[in-house]
Amino acid sequence: MIVAAAQFPSAALDIEANAARTAEAIAEAAGRGAELVVLAELALTGYELDAIAAAPERCVLAPDDPRLDPVREACRAAGVAAVVNCPGRGPAGPADGMAISTFVYGPDGAPLARYDKHHLHGRENGLFTAGPTAGGRFTFRGLRFALATCYDNAFSAVAEQAAADGCQVYLASSFHDTVDGTERYAVKARDHGLDVLLANGIGPGSESVACGYSGIWAADGTCLARLADGTGLAVAEVGPAAGRTAAGPEGAAMSDGQGRASASVPQLP
């Protein structure tokens, strides 16, 4: 299966604009053969903790929120699944506040899965409700997927449990501000025998500036696709074919997942 990590700067608290940009990314990824597209942490609002705290009622989303209609319509039009991240209503509903939520939409635009970030970091703890440890699993077109969000990935038990649960592909939506933080996903892939996709943010947030460098790694740690610090898509094939056509991550030309080096997947410095 061909998957894509979408990397673009979010407009602060402009859910409509970010949903429209997400829809464009879905269509572009579908044009490159992708069947599933993943976005960064809080891509639908931007990582804007102060602004979210000041207007939570404006920012909180449910999977059927009309503001996400462009995302669901893009999935239906392209026949592609999408993994989007936003402030979601808490795990037990409105009385449970907000979570940092991942909504998965199938190619028919219907909800396929949901995951609420379990390991909150820093000021997130005073603003969001932690999700349960379990969850974040779905099966799509014969592959078993695991979901994780940013600080979740600092805990090796998260990937260990994903592998134990029979997952083959690990999808991480993050907001890392150092390239070193993104390099660790190759190690995670190799250590746990999982294909790993990182969708990282770019641009400023309330805490720091996200660095980009989204990427996709095969289960042996081979880099399949990698972006630098600009807007774009990292596109590669995961599953049984992963790693067969890619070159290594040390500045070599990288595969776009279709057996050729892609000019839209920049080389690392």
Side-chain angles (χ1 to χ4, degrees), residues 5 170 172-174 176 181-182 185 196-200 212-217:
Y170 184 96
S173 298
S174 297
H176 293 302
T182 70
Y185 289 85
V196 172
L197 179 151
L198 165 66
N200 196 36
Y213 285 83
S214 299
I216 304 170
W217 294 265

Side-chain angles (χ1 to χ4, degrees), residues 101-150:
S101 299
T102 297
F103 300 153
V104 183
Y105 297 105
D108 59 356
L112 187 60
R114 172 176 174 164
Y115 170 69
D116 295 320
K117 184 177 182 178
H118 178 65
H119 297 95
L120 300 176
H121 183 265
R123 293 175 56 218
E124 294 172 0
N125 285 282
L127 180 57
F128 297 103
T129 300
T133 303
R137 309 284 187 262
F138 68 97
T139 300
F140 179 58
R141 294 184 177 165
L143 290 178
R144 184 77 168 156
F145 291 85
L147 298 167
T149 307
C150 207

Side-chain angles (χ1 to χ4, degrees), residues 12 16-18 53 76 89 99 107 121 138 161 163 192 215 218:
E16 290 82 358
N18 295 324
R76 285 192 290 268
R89 296 204 180 278
H121 183 265
F138 68 97
Q161 190 60 53
H192 301 288

Side-chain angles (χ1 to χ4, degrees), residues 151-166:
Y151 194 47
D152 286 330
N153 300 295
F155 299 85
S156 62
V158 175
E160 287 173 5
Q161 190 60 53
D165 289 345

Side-chain angles (χ1 to χ4, degrees), residues 9-222:
S10 297
L13 262 61
D14 193 337
I15 293 171
E16 290 82 358
N18 295 324
R21 182 65 188 88
T22 299
E24 293 172 0
I26 291 169
E28 181 181 349
R32 294 179 57 184
E35 299 175 72
L36 182 143
V37 184
V38 185
L39 273 73
E41 182 178 26
L42 294 178
L44 287 168
T45 56
Y47 193 89
E48 300 287 348
L49 300 189
D50 294 326
I52 292 170
E57 70 289 341
R58 173 184 170 191
C59 300
V60 71
L61 293 162
D64 61 352
D65 193 293
R67 291 172 290 180
L68 300 183
D69 282 348
V71 176
R72 293 188 290 269
E73 290 167 3
C75 289
R76 285 192 290 268
V80 169
V83 179
V84 303
N85 193 277
C86 62
R89 296 204 180 278
D96 203 12
M98 290 186 297
I100 298 179
S101 299
T102 297
F103 300 153
V104 183
Y105 297 105
D108 59 356
L112 187 60
R114 172 176 174 164
Y115 170 69
D116 295 320
K117 184 177 182 178
H118 178 65
H119 297 95
L120 300 176
H121 183 265
R123 293 175 56 218
E124 294 172 0
N125 285 282
L127 180 57
F128 297 103
T129 300
T133 303
R137 309 284 187 262
F138 68 97
T139 300
F140 179 58
R141 294 184 177 165
L143 290 178
R144 184 77 168 156
F145 291 85
L147 298 167
T149 307
C150 207
Y151 194 47
D152 286 330
N153 300 295
F155 299 85
S156 62
V158 175
E160 287 173 5
Q161 190 60 53
D165 289 345
C167 296
Q168 298 147 294
V169 186
Y170 184 96
L171 307 176
S173 298
S174 297
F175 192 88
H176 293 302
D177 57 6
T178 68
V179 177
D180 283 349
T182 70
E183 300 283 354
R184 298 169 191 156
Y185 289 85
V187 178
K188 187 177 298 292
R190 185 175 62 249
D191 284 354
H192 301 288
L194 297 164
D195 294 343
V196 172
L197 179 151
L198 165 66
N200 196 36
I202 53 172
S206 58
E207 305 295 289
S208 59
V209 178
C211 67
Y213 285 83
S214 299
I216 304 170
W217 294 265
D220 63 359
T222 300

